[in-house]
Amino acid sequence: MIVYQSTKKGFINDVLTNNIDNIIHKAYFEKLGRHTSRNEVLSWSNSMMFMNNILVDHEIPADAGISIEFQIPLTSKRIDFIITGLNEAQEEQVIIIELKQWSSAQLTSKDAIVKTYFQHGESETAHPSYQAWSYATMLRDYNQTIQDENIRLIPCAYLHNYPPDDTISNAFYAAHLSKAPLFLKPDALKLRAFIQKFVKYGDHKDILYRIENGRIRPSKQLTDNLASMLEGNQEFIMIDDQKVVFETAIKLAQLAKADKKQVLIVEGGPGTGKSVVAINLLVELTKQGLVTKYISKNAAPRAVYAAKLKGIKTKNAIDNLFGGSGSFFDTEPNTFDALIVDEAHRLNMKSGLYQNMGENQVIEIIDASKFTIFFIDNDQRIHINDIGEKKQIDWWAKRRNAHVHHLKLASQFRCNGSDGYLAWLDNTLQIKETANILLTSEDFDFQIFDNPNELKKTIETKNSINNKSRLVAGYCWDWISKKKNTAAFDVQIPAFNFAMKWNLEKDGSTWIIEEGSISEIGCIHTCQGLEMDYVGVIIGDDMRYENGKIITDFTRRSAMDNSIKGIKKLLKEDRDEALAIADRIIKNTYRTLLTRGMKGCYVHCCDPNLAEYLKSRIQNNQQANEFPEVRLIPRVEPAVNDDVKFVDFLPLYSLKAACGKFSEWQTVDELGWVKAEGVGKLNKNMFVVQGVGHSMEPRIADGDFCVFRANVVGSRSNKVVLVQHNDHYDSENEGSYSIKKYTSMKNYDPETGEWMHEKIVLEPLNPNYASIVIEDNDGFVVVGEFIGTIHG
């Protein structure tokens, strides 16, 4: 996908309109159906002026191709600026320019890593030259047209605000600078000469169009390249946050000692490359002579890895490299230099078939190694016994006197590289609120099938290409074929005369790669931690859509599913807690199944209402809106440094979470952090929520980021407030939460000598909406007072 495309002449004309940022933003909206952050729009405004100055030169052909924000296929990464044309020998050239707003950086001791200041504080990040080179390499690896037609990719980086120093150009980064030259603030003429050297003639052959529409090479899967990686070959280029995690882990493993344990907790959603980084670490640390082992609770990845290495490595060598999480309760302390724990969210308290061995797998793993890295995704805990949650691992590690570090993986390499699809899925399954309400076809190939037989037929067709597509389902059907009657079908949907077996027991954990397993349906236990090209998902009766809500029902799950074993006992002890756990397990299970596909996900819902709901969340061409007036929204940072919290940044909460935190004092997680300017001095009673609907217009528009202050004191009369009112329903906010103007009617009580509330009226500012009248104060809480909105 290319957001903006023109010639050099067209680009220069667009810049001369002093509207290039909005032109790109409009194109971005038309391509993706959503807006981007204020910071990105500002970066376009600034950087494009500098690139215009470079390109205003008669030796650079007017018909050279200019492309901005080119998304690398199958990833979430976009290349900032591309120039295409022909060189002196009439050979096709593609200059890739990584643009940065930086003005300073700090040297680190990690390969290709620098530290610089971002809006959320100082952070380590990939060196711009490494970033440009890695993007070019990835584009070449994924695109068959580039390879077949011998199109040359030339990466470089331009830091137009950065004065020369001995940091960014330090000899420590020489290897990367040689692959992608670096141009700084005074180097405009050098960059111009660099472009002139490679682009002598215009792009008459639509180079980037052919690249964008050319054949994508078959996507690499970790399992297919495992043997080569263990031989030391670089099969996957680690980019951006992956490189930071990898180099940080190497450094911590080198520093770790028996009396100075190091623990690194890495959060990452589906497809962010957790397993790729884990295997690369296994190879590198072993190469450095450190006793290292890859650990996973789920047997499926280890079984598939072992099958792929069979005949290449001995069974003993495989067992030394890969192991389960339940074998460390009797391991001597510090036996290992490094343990790499993949899918750490699946760790259990106890080990053994009957959960009767050891005390705590997290503690036992930390004790067994000087350095431990845990890769986790809190939203992939799919079993009642799963304890691998970030806060818990952090707490247990500190109890063992370990030095604990935290990093995140965000770059997306599955689901067609779509961050938007994952955010849409979280919002649609009502796991967490995000801004991604509609899914576009550009995001991901996601389709709903009314007939499961058509779904099966489509997946079989996809699988015939390379044996990399499978059907999976929620565990709502008993595994009948496992018992005596092997001819019986397990997953049956009588209304469509649909019947299939669960995966055969003989295939076990290698079901996902067995040649004949396309005729069977897999479940969460045979595919978590693995991936396929296309996944077909049957959502069973344990999830339905009712009265605007996703409803989960653990009673519709198979009694043979151990992931909720014990839930009925817990239900008697604490009903709310039991239902919350079951809801999390069921939603996380389907979230995990729906993110196994690298190229597409096709779905059949047993509940017709759920199917219609999902269809309503898919944007077709008729639903796409024309580009509205640009209203820039603040950038939401997933995390910021502690020293800028409540100084420059405030936490963003959903309405429900904010009310839970400030009226019921629950512990809730923020959606992120927003830079709050123009609302006065910040403090820890302040927070941000996103307004919904039009009832408070013109003061608060739909989608505005609203700042509130909790612990309201004094009179609330005529103030705009955030309230919780359990006995009243606000249609705009889909529940018992409202942002309205507070007014009240009072009567004087002569017996007490006090004024008493007769009723409270929550008034909209928009006259087209009705007031909410509160006559009974029970369940009514003023959560916060409105301070102002944060505008882009």
Side-chain angles (χ1 to χ4, degrees), residues 345-346 378-387 429 431 474-475 524-525 528 542-543 552-554 557 561-568 570 577-593:
H345 38 268
R346 294 298 325 279
N378 286 338
D379 293 326
Q380 284 198 58
R381 290 178 292 157
I382 52 87
H383 198 290
I384 197 169
N385 293 328
D386 291 349
I387 63 167
L429 295 181
I431 293 173
Y475 208 157
I524 186 68
H525 307 300
Q528 188 173 26
D542 57 345
M543 181 180 284
T552 57
D553 185 353
F554 74 86
R557 286 203 136 190
D561 180 17
N562 289 328
S563 65
I564 55 170
K565 188 175 181 179
I567 199 74
K568 290 182 179 179
L570 182 60
E577 176 68 10
L579 292 176
I581 290 174
D583 183 71
R584 185 198 77 205
I585 289 172
I586 293 171
K587 286 182 176 179
N588 284 357
T589 296
Y590 283 118
R591 179 183 186 268
T592 303
L593 294 178

Side-chain angles (χ1 to χ4, degrees), residues 316-435:
N316 186 54
I318 295 171
D319 291 343
N320 285 337
L321 289 172
F322 302 95
S325 60
S327 58
F328 296 93
F329 55 87
D330 57 356
T331 301
E332 288 293 318
N334 303 307
T335 298
F336 295 89
D337 295 310
L339 287 176
I340 301 163
V341 189
D342 204 0
E343 306 286 328
H345 38 268
R346 294 298 325 279
L347 295 177
N348 290 175
M349 190 67 76
K350 292 184 176 292
S351 302
L353 182 62
Y354 302 103
Q355 294 279 302
N356 61 349
M357 304 172 77
E359 293 299 326
N360 181 305
Q361 289 185 356
V362 175
I363 292 175
E364 290 155 8
I365 289 170
I366 292 172
D367 285 348
S369 181
K370 297 164 192 166
F371 167 66
T372 312
I373 180 170
F374 294 95
F375 291 94
I376 67 168
D377 178 359
N378 286 338
D379 293 326
Q380 284 198 58
R381 290 178 292 157
I382 52 87
H383 198 290
I384 197 169
N385 293 328
D386 291 349
I387 63 167
E389 196 264 337
K390 178 184 71 171
K391 293 178 181 177
Q392 289 295 316
I393 295 175
D394 181 278
W395 188 74
W396 283 318
K398 288 174 179 174
R399 283 189 64 192
R400 313 311 282 182
N401 296 317
H403 298 269
V404 183
H405 313 263
H406 293 267
L407 287 173
K408 289 188 177 183
L409 288 171
S411 305
Q412 181 52 234
F413 295 88
R414 201 183 291 157
C415 305
N416 200 34
S418 174
D419 295 323
Y421 173 65
L422 296 178
W424 173 84
L425 202 57
D426 283 338
N427 192 74
T428 301
L429 295 181
Q430 297 174 2
I431 293 173
K432 64 180 73 167
E433 293 182 12
T434 72

